[in-house]
């Protein structure tokens, strides 16, 4: 069974631009969560989607948004990029909403210049 | 906020058992203890979880004290590939995973 796939693996953007990251969960998993990881703040929860609906949301500004498609694939969008948005963005899938046994992808490393 | 306390770093010799402690003195009756690890440049990997009984799987053993205020993750025969940051997390089904700073475990040859 294929794991969680995130694309792209690396991304370089400039301040003010917007970016879209993609995540394909494990086949059969309907829950997708997004995390931001930085050296200073560690792993921080962004949001969780289940059956195309956002079920949980972390403490991030509205510039961070996401969506989930009917095939459970998810995208995360960050608008008006700031330097502080430079981070590793991780996607995780689970078989149930709020599922604690998460399977993570390798992440997208975003650098904002 | 993370509800656990872990030492920031630990060292262990290759081939020996690595014992990683975690304090969770405010754990509630319906909260599980989960362990994940993150190897450099990869996403976190689920290891094991438990409620109050000791658990064992192919990766590790989890020992939870009777009062459930602390636990220990045991890697029975550590290898160099076990070098990673290990996260201890407590939560119930309605919560989201909150990662603390974890323990950076270094396995030395």
């Amino acid at each position: 069974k294929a794991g969680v796939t995130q694309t792209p693996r690396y991304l370089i953007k400039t301040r003010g631009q917007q970016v879209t990251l993609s995540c394909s969960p494990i086949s059969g998993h309907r829950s997708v969560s997004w995390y931001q990881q930085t050296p200073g703040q560690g792993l921080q929860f962004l949001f969780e989607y289940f059956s195309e609906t956002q079920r949980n949301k972390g403490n991030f500004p509205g510039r961070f948004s996401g969506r989930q498609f009917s095939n459970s694939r998810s995208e995360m969008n960050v608008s008006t990029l700031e330097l502080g948005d430079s981070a590793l963005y991780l996607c995780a899938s689970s078989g149930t909403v709020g599922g604690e046994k998460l399977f993570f992808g390798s992440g997208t490393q975003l650098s904002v210049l | 906020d993370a509800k656990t306390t872990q030492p920031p770093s630990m060292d262990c010799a290759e081939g020996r058992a690595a014992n990683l402690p975690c304090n969770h003195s405010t754990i509630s009756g319906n909260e599980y203890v989960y362990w994940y690890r993150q190897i450099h440049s990869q996403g976190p990997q689920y290891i094991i979880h438990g409620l109050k009984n000791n658990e064992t799987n192919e990766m590790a053993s989890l020992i939870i004290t009777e009062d459930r205020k602390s636990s220990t993750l045991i890697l029975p025969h550590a290898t160099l590939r076990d070098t990673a940051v290990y996260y201890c997390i407590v939560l119930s089904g309605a919560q989201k995973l909150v990662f603390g700073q974890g323990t950076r475990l270094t396995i030395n040859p």
Side-chain angles (χ1 to χ4, degrees):
Chain A
K1 189 182 265 191
V4 177
T5 304
Q6 290 188 247
T7 56
R9 185 72 176 92
Y10 300 95
L11 203 52
I12 299 175
K13 292 285 187 179
T14 56
R15 281 182 299 174
Q17 287 187 308
Q18 67 91 28
V19 67
T20 299
L21 312 181
S22 180
C23 172
S24 293
I26 289 173
S27 178
H29 283 189
R30 296 167 61 190
S31 171
V32 173
S33 301
W34 289 89
Y35 285 79
Q36 181 197 64
Q37 186 172 31
T38 59
Q41 298 297 319
L43 274 156
Q44 293 187 287
F45 173 77
L46 280 156
F47 28 66
E48 177 187 16
Y49 286 87
F50 184 85
S51 294
E52 304 177 63
T53 303
Q54 189 179 89
R55 301 301 178 119
N56 280 301
K57 190 176 189 305
N59 297 320
F60 278 80
R63 300 185 297 108
F64 292 81
S65 63
R67 60 177 175 169
Q68 186 179 35
F69 302 95
S70 58
N71 61 358
S72 295
R73 190 178 69 85
S74 177
E75 288 183 347
M76 192 194 106
N77 184 274
V78 187
S79 62
T80 319
L81 284 166
E82 301 177 358
L83 296 179
D85 296 334
S86 294
L88 179 67
Y89 289 88
L90 290 158
C91 166
S93 77
S94 172
T96 58
V97 62
E100 305 85 358
K101 189 174 178 180
L102 299 181
F103 296 84
F104 283 82
S106 296
T108 294
Q109 184 66 56
L110 172 66
S111 297
V112 182
L113 307 178
Chain B
D1 294 322
K3 304 178 185 177
T4 62
T5 303
Q6 299 177 254
S9 64
M10 291 182 63
D11 286 89
C12 179
E14 187 178 19
R16 303 295 295 270
N19 298 293
L20 292 91
C22 179
N23 287 319
H24 30 79
S25 58
T26 61
I27 192 170
S28 301
N30 64 341
E31 289 183 319
Y32 286 75
V33 179
Y34 278 77
W35 284 84
Y36 280 76
R37 73 179 182 183
Q38 187 172 22
I39 297 170
H40 184 61
S41 299
Q42 298 181 22
Q45 176 189 25
Y46 166 84
I47 301 173
I48 198 168
H49 76 281
L51 184 62
K52 54 183 178 181
N53 297 319
N54 298 337
E55 302 288 344
T56 296
N57 63 20
E58 66 278 4
M59 291 182 67
S61 294
L62 174 61
I63 308 298
I64 303 174
T65 58
E66 193 168 341
D67 63 7
R68 303 212 318 126
K69 293 185 177 181
S70 65
S71 60
T72 301
L73 178 74
I74 301 173
L75 307 177
H77 305 288
T79 70
L80 298 179
R81 287 178 292 181
D82 291 322
T83 292
V85 178
Y86 287 77
Y87 297 97
C88 170
I89 305 162
V90 297
L91 79 166
S92 67
Q95 302 167 355
K96 58 184 183 296
L97 278 175
V98 177
F99 289 81
Q101 294 303 311
T103 296
R104 184 172 298 277
L105 175 67
T106 302
I107 306 301
N108 300 306

